[in-house]
Amino acid sequence: MPALEVHPTVRIQAGPYAAEISPSAGGRLLCLTYTDANQSVDCIVPWQGREAFEAHDWPKAGAFVMLPFTNRLAPAQFNWQDQTVTLHNGSPTGQGLHGFGHRRPWQLRQTTSHSAELALMHPASDAEWPWPFAATLTYQLSEAGLRMELSVCNTSTGVMPLSLGWHPFLPHSTACPEDQGDYLVHAQRQHAIGLDGLGLAVASVEPLPMQCFALPTEQAGTTAFEHYSGTVHLPLTAPWRLEMTSQNAAHLLVHTPPGLKHLCVEPISALPGALKQDLRTRNQLGLGPACTGTLVCTLGLQALSLPMATAETLPRSP
């Protein structure tokens, strides 16, 4: 597979937020910055340089979308409707990793001063995915921050599996929050799936009560949170914190790599390993012909310069 080019890029801006996007580099968000009269704050780890990169060895920066499946699929094989599906993606490890949308060039469909719409066509069955589909990716900025919407339409004549996700690389704050209780994940269950993320997170058969789990930022590892609340807060250097929300992403995966240089907080529509689980779990991924699956995520800053109870908070994204 040829290297992915970063240039040309698209820059959008609204209020204090600015973002740069590379359609050709998997539709990646290269940077998201908040700037006011006093300072500039990176909301994601900013992309460094504009050199082309190998599609299976991407810099750990920016943010990309995951489709038509999420997280690791090792080996890259699963059963679907009584057939064995083997994916060949040229990876040196033989894994399926985060789908392939982030390794394909996207087309810039339209842009405004504050938004950009990209498209990816997978028009026919190939070695990477035996079902055709059409995907649309929209980045939109407002005074509240970033809104990302990903939609995938099944253009095949059969039911195809689909899971969607967003994979931002977030700054890892070394600051100790004044109140650890502000940085919790509200979810039904947590699954430790190993540092390499190869473990299976087996979905619960029955709904469980919501619980509060500490955001796992202090030790290297990977944790999947099952049926999380859809909102999570992340510490940054004072006086800021990040707020991430998602729609149609039932679960959240948090990966803290060795060295704690960054944090990956990934809203996902299916738990890791779902394509390799039982028939009931796999069937929940089915997307019928002409049907569309959608994922929406937002990311923005909140100011914590005042005590938490009276903190001046930026407006939330709709």
Side-chain angles (χ1 to χ4, degrees):
M1 178 175 290
L4 291 178
E5 298 289 341
V6 177
H7 277 299
T9 64
V10 177
R11 180 179 172 83
I12 58 176
Q13 185 169 359
Y17 288 95
E20 189 174 9
I21 299 145
S22 173
S24 57
R28 274 173 168 78
L29 178 68
L30 301 180
C31 63
L32 175 64
T33 307
Y34 173 92
T35 303
D36 61 17
N38 301 314
Q39 61 183 318
S40 181
V41 181
D42 288 318
C43 301
I44 62 175
V45 177
W47 197 275
Q48 302 296 324
R50 294 297 181 264
E51 299 82 11
F53 62 95
E54 205 280 319
H56 289 287
D57 187 20
W58 55 87
K60 303 304 182 280
F64 60 82
V65 289
M66 296 183 282
L67 71 147
F69 62 89
T70 58
N71 305 117
R72 294 179 184 264
L73 187 64
Q77 185 179 81
F78 60 93
N79 292 320
W80 186 255
Q81 296 186 338
D82 299 324
Q83 292 190 1
T84 299
V85 178
T86 302
L87 307 179
H88 301 280
N89 59 21
S91 167
T93 65
Q95 297 181 16
L97 186 56
H98 307 322
F100 59 84
H102 67 106
R103 293 186 283 102
R104 298 278 181 94
W106 292 61
Q107 299 299 315
L108 181 63
R109 181 177 288 171
Q110 60 181 352
T111 183
T112 70
S113 61
H114 64 278
S115 67
E117 182 180 295
L118 287 65
L120 174 67
M121 301 298 296
H122 182 63
S125 171
D126 66 9
E128 287 223 59
W129 196 249
W131 297 274
F133 63 81
T136 301
L137 172 59
T138 303
Y139 295 105
Q140 183 175 3
L141 291 181
S142 70
E143 293 279 348
L146 173 75
R147 183 182 189 272
M148 182 283 299
E149 180 171 346
L150 172 66
S151 63
V152 175
C153 178
N154 178 7
T155 57
S156 77
T157 58
V159 177
M160 82 169 194
L162 177 72
S163 59
L164 303 176
W166 192 42
H167 192 305
F169 293 90
L170 303 177
H172 187 281
S173 174
T174 57
C176 181
E178 292 184 7
D179 186 356
Q180 293 285 351
D182 294 325
Y183 302 106
L184 301 173
V185 180
H186 300 272
Q188 291 185 11
R189 189 180 175 192
Q190 68 174 352
H191 304 262
I193 59 172
L195 180 59
D196 58 8
L198 289 175
L200 296 181
V202 179
S204 304
V205 176
E206 299 292 337
L208 299 172
M210 295 293 282
Q211 304 179 60
C212 294
F213 301 97
L215 188 68
T217 62
E218 301 306 316
Q219 286 187 319
T222 305
T223 305
F225 295 94
E226 183 179 348
H227 292 293
Y228 93 113
S229 65
T231 300
V232 63
H233 295 110
L234 303 139
L236 281 178
T237 302
W240 302 106
R241 73 176 182 181
L242 284 169
E243 181 180 74
M244 178 187 291
T245 73
S246 65
Q247 300 173 33
N248 303 326
H251 318 292
L252 186 74
L253 186 138
V254 178
H255 173 65
T256 306
L260 307 181
K261 294 181 179 180
H262 59 264
L263 190 66
C264 299
V265 180
E266 309 163 24
I268 48 178
S269 64
L271 287 170
L275 278 172
K276 290 183 173 292
Q277 295 188 29
D278 59 44
L279 181 62
R280 176 187 65 88
T281 301
R282 296 198 307 272
N283 284 344
Q284 292 174 352
L285 306 179
L287 183 71
C291 293
T292 299
T294 302
L295 170 70
V296 177
C297 297
T298 69
L299 184 65
L301 287 184
Q302 290 185 330
L304 300 178
S305 54
L306 300 176
M308 185 69 67
T310 59
E312 179 183 354
T313 303
L314 293 174
R316 294 189 179 187
S317 299

